[in-house]
Amino acid sequence: MGRLRDIFEGPFEQGGKDWIYLILALVLSAGVWTLHNLSLKYSVYLSVPVLVECEGIEGYANVASENELVVAKCRATGFDILSCKMLGRSNPRKVKVAASDLIPYSSGAFYLKNKDLQHYASDFFGESAQVEYYVSDTLFFRFARRDYKKVPVEFLATLDLAPQYFLSAPVKVIPDSVLVYADPARLEYIHSIQTRSLRLNQLRENVSGDIKLKVPSSTRLSVESVNYNVSVSRCVELTFDLPLQIKNVPEGKLPTLSTEQVRVIANCLFPLDSGVEQELAAYVDYNDLSSSSAELLVKLVSQPEWMLSYRIEPAVVNCSK
């Protein structure tokens, strides 16, 4: 016994650090060996409890009522295998599924086909997992029915346009309406959903982007944000001097006008093609004369698309009968 004691106690008497280094080396070796084995791929059967989430099922909750056990033979690293083994029914793996992949078969019940299951292999079993085959070729999920209401989206924005610029079209919001899920008593008082406030200054070009929605308390929305599109164009004020014509003059009549030319002052889209003034023509209609007045309203034959607004000077001329 004395000799055995000397073997173990000797190093401590001569230098206890040698034992510390030995223990650290053993721990490090065990760690490297463990990491190496966990990084290797193995072919095993894996079973994972999955709780499906889906935002696009109209009239239903966005989370399935209960989880489903997914079983497949996979090639996966030890890390992913260990991660799957640690899951249980009480802590399932949450997986987001596209509404287009869920096929309805009864009220609130949906299923995923085998061909669609392949799309979610990494979500089910981990990034490294390669599914050789699923034990169940179809997975079934049930979603609880929810009361909902479809309401318009109200875009809250302050738009400051640079000089000579204007909104060339109404602001587009996509989607322009959303589904609000809540208790019937709560839905009764919800008539629209507002976006977060937005301010755009000195706009000189089209602007688009995503903006979050304000979520009323005790409700859930079908989408969290919407896309907006603000279309902006530049306009300039141009002047056109046009000869004035008379239409519908009866045969034998030779009326004269108080002026033979009028001026059109127009707000126009910029830039303009050359020669656009050839599309303009001004006239008065002889049939508009009345017995009590010799005045006629000056009109344009047509208003081109590039002309946003206009005024004519003079707006009214006198006509001799």
Side-chain angles (χ1 to χ4, degrees):
M1 284 295 291
R3 185 172 179 80
L4 186 61
R5 188 183 299 111
D6 291 340
I7 293 174
F8 287 97
E9 292 183 354
F12 286 99
E13 295 174 357
Q14 297 171 10
K17 289 184 178 180
D18 292 343
W19 276 99
I20 296 174
Y21 292 146
L22 178 59
I23 293 171
L24 288 175
L26 291 173
V27 171
L28 183 59
S29 298
V32 171
W33 179 84
T34 301
L35 291 174
H36 171 72
N37 281 278
L38 288 175
S39 65
L40 297 177
K41 281 198 170 185
Y42 304 90
S43 183
V44 295
Y45 283 95
L46 291 177
S47 60
V48 177
V50 171
L51 188 63
V52 163
E53 296 182 8
C54 183
E55 296 287 348
I57 310 178
E58 187 172 316
Y60 291 94
N62 62 332
V63 180
S65 303
E66 54 189 23
N67 53 54
E68 180 75 12
L69 194 65
V70 182
V71 183
K73 187 176 182 182
C74 307
R75 281 191 59 80
T77 63
F79 291 107
D80 283 332
I81 294 172
L82 183 62
S83 174
C84 291
K85 296 294 184 183
M86 294 174 66
L87 296 172
R89 285 286 185 178
S90 59
N91 61 327
R93 181 162 285 170
K94 292 184 178 180
V95 176
K96 289 189 175 181
V97 174
S100 57
D101 290 339
L102 287 174
I103 303 172
Y105 74 94
S106 66
S107 179
F110 301 81
Y111 66 90
L112 270 174
K113 284 187 175 181
N114 185 277
K115 64 181 183 65
D116 296 319
L117 291 178
Q118 298 295 336
H119 303 160
Y120 303 99
S122 59
D123 297 313
F124 292 153
F125 303 110
E127 291 295 332
S128 72
Q130 295 175 319
V131 174
E132 297 178 5
Y133 61 86
Y134 284 92
V135 173
S136 299
D137 62 351
T138 305
L139 294 180
F140 295 87
F141 303 96
R142 184 170 292 278
F143 293 82
R145 188 79 184 177
R146 289 288 182 268
D147 292 300
Y148 70 98
K149 181 180 182 180
K150 192 172 187 177
V151 297
V153 173
E154 185 179 349
F155 184 55
L156 295 184
T158 302
L159 306 178
D160 176 30
L161 300 172
Q164 294 188 333
Y165 286 83
F166 70 102
L167 290 178
S168 55
V171 176
K172 288 184 179 180
V173 177
I174 303 174
D176 59 2
S177 59
V178 296
L179 300 180
V180 184
Y181 295 89
D183 293 332
R186 185 79 175 93
L187 289 174
E188 184 180 353
Y189 298 98
I190 299 176
H191 304 291
S192 66
I193 294 296
Q194 296 179 334
T195 65
R196 299 283 180 89
S197 298
L198 177 69
R199 184 177 183 86
L200 300 172
N201 296 317
Q202 293 294 298
L203 287 177
R204 289 183 171 85
E205 59 185 6
N206 297 341
V207 178
S208 62
D210 293 326
I211 187 167
K212 293 281 189 181
L213 296 174
K214 294 180 179 179
V215 184
S217 60
S218 303
T219 68
R220 178 176 67 83
L221 305 181
S222 57
V223 294
E224 296 179 351
S225 61
V226 295
N227 179 266
Y228 65 88
N229 191 303
V230 181
S231 298
V232 174
S233 296
R234 184 183 175 187
C235 67
V236 292
E237 187 176 89
L238 297 177
T239 300
F240 304 94
D241 292 323
L242 304 177
L244 188 58
Q245 306 170 2
I246 308 177
K247 288 187 175 183
N248 299 318
V249 178
E251 188 176 351
K253 292 283 187 178
L254 295 172
T256 58
L257 300 174
S258 58
T259 180
E260 297 181 348
Q261 182 174 280
V262 293
R263 174 163 290 181
V264 177
I265 303 159
N267 289 318
C268 307
L269 288 175
F270 183 85
L272 281 177
D273 297 330
S274 59
V276 292
E277 65 276 3
Q278 297 177 9
E279 300 177 29
L280 300 177
Y283 74 99
V284 291
D285 192 340
Y286 189 86
N287 290 335
D288 292 340
L289 281 174
S290 66
S291 58
S292 60
S293 176
E295 292 183 336
L296 289 175
L297 182 66
V298 182
K299 306 173 185 177
L300 289 182
V301 173
S302 64
Q303 182 178 343
E305 291 185 0
W306 49 263
M307 183 182 288
L308 305 173
S309 62
Y310 67 91
R311 69 181 188 275
I312 301 175
E313 296 179 352
V316 175
V317 295
N318 289 318
C319 175
S320 64
K321 300 181 181 180

